[in-house]
Amino acid sequence: MELSERKKKILEVIIRDYINSAEPVGSRTLSKRCNLGISPATIRNEMADLEELGFLVQPHTSSGRIPTQQAYRFYVDEIMEIRKLEKMIRTDIHRGFLDYNNELGTTISHTAQVLSKLTNYTSVILAPRITNYNCKHVQIIPLIKNRVLMVAVTHEGIAKNVEMSLSSEVSEVMALKLSNVINGFLKNSFLKDMNSGFLDQIQELSQEESNLVREIIPHLKKALFEDASEIHSTGLTNLFNYPEFSDVEKIKQVVNIVQEKQVLSEILTGNESGKVVHIRIGNENDNENLKDFSIITSTYELDGEMMGAFGVIGPTRMNYDNVSSVLNYIRNELNLHISNLLMK
Amino acid sequence: MELSERKKKILEVIIRDYINSAEPVGSRTLSKRCNLGISPATIRNEMADLEELGFLVQPHTSSGRIPTQQAYRFYVDEIMEIRKLEKMIRTDIHRGFLDYNNELGTTISHTAQVLSKLTNYTSVILAPRITNYNCKHVQIIPLIKNRVLMVAVTHEGIAKNVEMSLSSEVSEVMALKLSNVINGFLKNSFLKDMNSGFLDQIQELSQEESNLVREIIPHLKKALFEDASEIHSTGLTNLFNYPEFSDVEKIKQVVNIVQEKQVLSEILTGNESGKVVHIRIGNENDNENLKDFSIITSTYELDGEMMGAFGVIGPTRMNYDNVSSVLNYIRNELNLHISNLLMK
DNA sequence: GTTAGCACTCAATTCTTGTGAGTGCTAATA
DNA sequence: TATTAGCACTCACAAGAATTGAGTGCTAAC
């Protein structure tokens, strides 16, 4: 799929133009914009070639051309580059983060806001998640009757709540004892290896106590391994301003996606490419509802381990340039900031 | 504002019809539907009167009439009644609640789902809130460095998390001690009366310890008294099917409302009327963005104390009958269910 | 290989016309 | 006096016709 330099240039200009205007691009307008000094007729020939190669389509005969998803993919892979943001914007973002330097939760929702503001699309962000290996400490707190709250804390200092009903009422003293049993195990082993077998090794537990622990463990595992983390989203209405969303059906699609936290979370974490900024265009999305959208995601880390993900949802006619650059920068800022917040 | 029985009847039929069809109602169609045996001409005269009285308007000369907000208010106050739901629906709802009988959180989100499904509008529900007087117990859990998590538990068994940074690192032992100090106070007094003065009465605290408690108290108060409770919403896209929402601007309005958790929470809890089911129609809403919508809310209680609120947002052309009846029934179910879940 | 010229296409816009559901008014009726 | 039939009038809406304009492909000349 080798394109001549000129074809490449023409394709680039068409894509850029279409991303801006959402209008099919014709040869006349193009010849003015593209400073190659070639006439509309020549451009028409080149465009016909590009159409044959699958990069362009005409909404109808005798209209201008619009880029295909293949064209966007080519643009993303071969043409565009992740830019460094303007100095002013960089310092703006940086200062913004400093204002939210106390709370993990507010940092996360602040990030979502910055993202949607800078890109004018819809942003989503997944709060730090609990990983397989990092559960450090749990605490059982009696609520009422046979209901208890379990708080699990990771090595990174992230807490998660699990509420549950047990088979009998739990006193404060009992809660403390149960916590201690589980924590004793966690000191030496990983949560994933925890099964009810370890109880046999502990002599001083009454029948009731070990029953309770047996009830608790599945809840703990489920909460940590299966439950979706909290997810934030802002700028949903940003999308409604784009002409491709004048159709109510399209709006429904995107609203549904953003409300389906579970789906969203899978989308955000599914990055097979291994790239820092991961771009999925239209059909490349597995989710049926996302086939008409593009989504660009990235992740943030702590101490080398992936903690969460964030991204931007927009039309396939997305400003890939800008969004990638923003995501790339935010990623760095977020990493820095979270590490300041949590690291020993 | 005394209307003759006939005028009342005509108005009722017009409103019912318009709520169903969203089409202006004319005298011909009306004379068929309304079994009073009067001719279109007579109806025209009555309609002209009703228009003069402010109950009807014509979108343009020579079209049928549509009800004004004043008409809806009249309908709600003077005509409609809260019905008992059909037996089948009642048992359906009841069984649904039984399936979610273990978790407060799932009960809440289940309620939201039932509401939007039964009404075909958008539902919102406010999770149980922490009230002024019911904080029973707190527990401080060290997270990392100088960060700790505080869990506050109410008498009703509802837990709330607060994360905070303190001025120095907190060990497990220290955390336990701090918890005990605060809990000791809560045993005998209300949280609202807690100020740093009570520390003076406690002799065995080191300087560092009492400093820490002094830092914690404002966080606790803020979290319990000021922070908004969690809020759930479903069925946002239900609204998009109604003809009044074919306009993208309208959609933006409602999406914005539903995303503004803080605003939503104020709307839900603001019930001056003292009625069990509280109806606000169009302009009666304080919030500028809600002027084109109607919202019907109710509350749920535990042991006589208001715990949370829920409601339905829809067009002013809302099926007030049905929604009120549903809310009324759900309220009872929810009260029953939560009391089973939490009461001693 | 490039370009000017030309006939052709087709969505979008504007204008026209017809249709129908609705009205208000007046005069006849019970 | 309240009701109704009759009639002329209004106006949104739909369907069709005419116009416009940005764009195309093709051919022949440069």
Side-chain angles (χ1 to χ4, degrees):
Chain A
M1 204 191 294
E2 273 300 303
L3 293 188
S4 72
E5 271 311 305
R6 193 170 67 182
K7 281 202 176 58
K8 219 164 147 177
K9 184 71 188 164
I10 289 175
L11 186 56
E12 175 179 347
V13 179
I14 292 176
I15 293 175
R16 288 244 164 84
D17 195 273
Y18 184 69
I19 285 175
N20 270 324
S21 67
E23 297 285 313
V25 188
S27 57
R28 173 107 25 117
T29 22
L30 193 54
S31 100
K32 285 171 202 154
R33 206 150 326 199
C34 156
N35 297 336
L36 289 178
I38 38 179
S39 76
T42 313
I43 293 179
R44 275 205 286 284
N45 290 331
E46 296 283 43
M47 281 165 99
D49 289 351
L50 284 168
E51 177 160 359
E52 209 167 323
L53 289 168
F55 290 105
L56 298 176
V57 280
Q58 289 180 290
H60 55 87
T61 356
S62 88
S63 84
R65 261 98 171 178
I66 61 176
T68 60
Q69 293 185 4
Q70 176 188 331
Y72 291 127
R73 173 47 64 195
F74 183 80
Y75 177 80
V76 160
D77 288 343
E78 309 280 333
I79 299 179
M80 86 166 196
E81 285 172 357
I82 293 182
R83 296 190 317 277
K84 196 166 178 179
L85 297 180
E86 278 174 49
K87 174 98 183 162
M88 230 180 63
I89 297 179
R90 291 208 315 274
T91 50
D92 248 32
I93 297 178
H94 188 74
R95 288 219 188 98
F97 272 106
L98 294 182
D99 290 345
Y100 291 86
N101 59 357
N102 278 321
E103 269 267 24
L104 198 56
T106 50
T107 303
I108 295 300
S109 59
H110 171 71
T111 307
Q113 300 219 351
V114 172
L115 272 177
S116 66
K117 199 163 158 204
L118 286 176
T119 62
N120 260 307
Y121 300 118
T122 297
S123 70
V124 281
I125 182 163
L126 199 61
R129 60 175 200 153
I130 311 259
T131 58
N132 264 345
Y133 299 102
N134 59 359
C135 183
K136 173 178 78 172
H137 182 89
V138 306
Q139 184 111 22
I140 312 274
I141 301 171
L143 291 177
I144 200 161
K145 283 197 299 185
N146 60 337
R147 302 182 61 72
V148 302
L149 178 77
M150 175 171 52
V151 179
V153 181
T154 71
H155 281 118
E156 296 88 0
I158 299 164
K160 179 152 183 173
N161 280 18
V162 200
E163 223 178 297
M164 62 188 89
S165 289
L166 298 177
S167 59
S168 62
E169 188 157 346
V170 176
S171 71
E172 277 196 44
V173 179
M174 172 73 91
L176 197 60
K177 183 149 189 195
L178 296 174
S179 305
N180 286 339
V181 170
I182 298 174
N183 285 328
F185 179 86
L186 289 174
K187 264 213 186 80
N188 308 310
S189 319
F190 290 130
L191 174 60
K192 71 179 171 69
D193 304 321
M194 180 186 269
N195 54 51
S196 45
F198 88 99
L199 287 171
D200 303 337
Q201 301 156 23
I202 301 167
Q203 304 301 324
E204 72 268 29
L205 286 185
S206 73
Q207 186 60 42
E208 189 194 4
E209 287 162 353
S210 62
N211 276 346
L212 287 174
V213 176
R214 249 184 273 276
E215 287 177 51
I216 292 172
I217 294 174
H219 279 107
L220 179 58
K221 285 191 173 172
K222 175 163 179 294
L224 296 192
F225 299 163
E226 292 170 26
D227 276 18
S229 299
E230 231 178 309
I231 208 159
H232 285 258
S233 168
T234 57
L236 182 51
T237 50
N238 280 353
L239 293 184
F240 303 169
N241 296 322
Y242 297 102
E244 38 267 89
F245 295 91
S246 53
D247 176 21
V248 175
E249 276 311 308
K250 267 281 189 72
I251 292 187
K252 266 198 217 173
Q253 272 180 37
V254 70
V255 171
N256 278 330
I257 291 167
V258 172
Q259 297 217 319
E260 286 282 338
K261 307 283 184 189
Q262 183 63 44
V263 175
L264 213 49
S265 149
E266 280 162 25
I267 291 166
L268 277 176
T269 48
N271 172 357
E272 316 80 27
S273 75
K275 283 188 188 148
V276 167
V277 171
H278 183 51
I279 301 180
R280 267 162 295 184
I281 300 167
N283 282 321
E284 297 169 12
N285 286 295
D286 294 329
N287 187 292
E288 201 53 48
N289 274 321
L290 269 175
K291 297 283 184 205
D292 291 334
F293 302 90
S294 282
I295 178 159
I296 309 193
T297 59
S298 186
T299 55
Y300 58 95
E301 279 131 38
L302 181 68
D303 209 12
E305 174 131 28
M306 199 253 264
M307 294 292 285
F310 57 102
V312 168
I313 301 176
T316 48
R317 178 184 72 84
M318 187 191 255
N319 193 331
Y320 295 99
D321 262 335
N322 181 49
V323 176
S324 306
S325 308
V326 167
L327 253 65
N328 185 54
Y329 184 70
I330 296 268
R331 172 194 155 87
N332 291 334
E333 279 290 315
L334 201 52
N335 279 342
L336 190 71
H337 196 70
I338 288 197
S339 124
N340 281 341
L341 209 60
L342 298 181
M343 282 293 277
K344 285 149 236 209
Chain B
M1 203 193 292
E2 274 300 305
L3 292 187
S4 73
E5 271 312 304
R6 194 170 68 181
K7 280 200 175 60
K8 219 164 149 177
K9 183 72 188 163
I10 290 174
L11 185 57
E12 176 180 345
V13 179
I14 292 177
I15 292 175
R16 288 247 164 83
D17 195 271
Y18 184 70
I19 284 176
N20 270 324
S21 67
E23 298 283 313
V25 188
S27 57
R28 173 103 29 114
T29 21
L30 193 52
S31 99
K32 286 173 204 155
R33 205 150 327 201
C34 157
N35 296 338
L36 289 177
I38 38 178
S39 76
T42 312
I43 293 179
R44 277 206 283 286
N45 290 332
E46 295 285 42
M47 281 164 100
D49 289 351
L50 284 168
E51 178 161 358
E52 210 166 320
L53 290 167
F55 291 104
L56 298 176
V57 279
Q58 290 180 287
H60 55 87
T61 356
S62 88
S63 83
R65 260 99 169 178
I66 62 177
T68 60
Q69 294 186 3
Q70 176 189 328
Y72 291 127
R73 171 48 64 196
F74 183 79
Y75 177 78
V76 159
D77 287 343
E78 309 281 333
I79 300 180
M80 85 166 197
E81 284 173 359
I82 293 184
R83 294 191 318 277
K84 197 165 179 181
L85 296 182
E86 277 173 50
K87 173 96 184 166
M88 230 182 63
I89 298 180
R90 290 208 314 274
T91 51
D92 249 31
I93 298 177
H94 188 74
R95 289 219 187 98
F97 271 107
L98 293 182
D99 289 345
Y100 290 86
N101 60 356
N102 279 321
E103 269 267 24
L104 197 57
T106 50
T107 302
I108 295 301
S109 59
H110 170 73
T111 307
Q113 298 219 352
V114 172
L115 272 178
S116 67
K117 200 164 159 205
L118 286 176
T119 61
N120 260 307
Y121 300 118
T122 297
S123 70
V124 282
I125 181 163
L126 200 61
R129 59 176 201 155
I130 311 261
T131 58
N132 264 345
Y133 299 102
N134 61 358
C135 184
K136 171 179 79 169
H137 181 89
V138 305
Q139 184 109 25
I140 311 275
I141 301 172
L143 291 176
I144 200 159
K145 283 198 301 188
N146 59 337
R147 301 182 63 71
V148 302
L149 177 77
M150 175 171 52
V151 179
V153 181
T154 71
H155 280 119
E156 296 87 0
I158 300 165
K160 179 153 184 173
N161 280 18
V162 200
E163 222 180 298
M164 63 187 89
S165 289
L166 299 177
S167 59
S168 63
E169 188 158 343
V170 176
S171 71
E172 277 196 44
V173 179
M174 172 74 91
L176 196 60
K177 182 150 190 191
L178 296 174
S179 305
N180 287 339
V181 169
I182 298 174
N183 286 327
F185 178 86
L186 288 174
K187 265 216 185 77
N188 308 310
S189 319
F190 289 131
L191 174 61
K192 70 180 173 70
D193 304 320
M194 178 186 269
N195 54 50
S196 45
F198 87 99
L199 288 170
D200 303 338
Q201 302 157 21
I202 300 166
Q203 303 301 323
E204 74 268 28
L205 287 184
S206 73
Q207 186 60 43
E208 189 195 2
E209 287 161 353
S210 63
N211 276 346
L212 286 174
V213 176
R214 249 183 274 275
E215 286 177 52
I216 292 171
I217 293 173
H219 279 107
L220 180 59
K221 285 190 172 172
K222 175 162 178 297
L224 297 191
F225 298 163
E226 293 171 24
D227 276 16
S229 298
E230 230 178 309
I231 208 160
H232 285 258
S233 168
T234 57
L236 183 49
T237 51
N238 279 353
L239 294 184
F240 303 170
N241 296 321
Y242 297 102
E244 38 266 271
F245 294 92
S246 52
D247 177 21
V248 176
E249 277 311 309
K250 267 279 188 76
I251 292 187
K252 264 198 219 173
Q253 273 181 36
V254 69
V255 171
N256 277 331
I257 291 167
V258 172
Q259 298 218 317
E260 287 280 339
K261 308 283 183 187
Q262 183 65 42
V263 175
L264 214 49
S265 147
E266 280 162 25
I267 292 167
L268 277 177
T269 48
N271 171 358
E272 317 80 27
S273 75
K275 284 191 189 143
V276 168
V277 171
H278 183 50
I279 301 180
R280 267 161 295 183
I281 300 166
N283 281 321
E284 297 170 10
N285 286 294
D286 293 331
N287 186 293
E288 202 52 49
N289 274 320
L290 270 176
K291 297 283 184 204
D292 292 333
F293 302 90
S294 282
I295 180 160
I296 308 193
T297 59
S298 187
T299 55
Y300 58 96
E301 280 133 38
L302 182 68
D303 208 12
E305 175 132 28
M306 199 253 266
M307 295 292 286
F310 58 101
V312 168
I313 303 175
T316 47
R317 178 184 72 84
M318 187 191 255
N319 193 331
Y320 294 99
D321 263 334
N322 181 49
V323 176
S324 305
S325 307
V326 168
L327 252 67
N328 186 53
Y329 185 68
I330 296 268
R331 171 194 156 87
N332 291 334
E333 279 291 313
L334 201 52
N335 279 343
L336 190 71
H337 195 71
I338 289 197
S339 125
N340 281 341
L341 207 61
L342 297 181
M343 282 292 278
K344 284 154 239 206

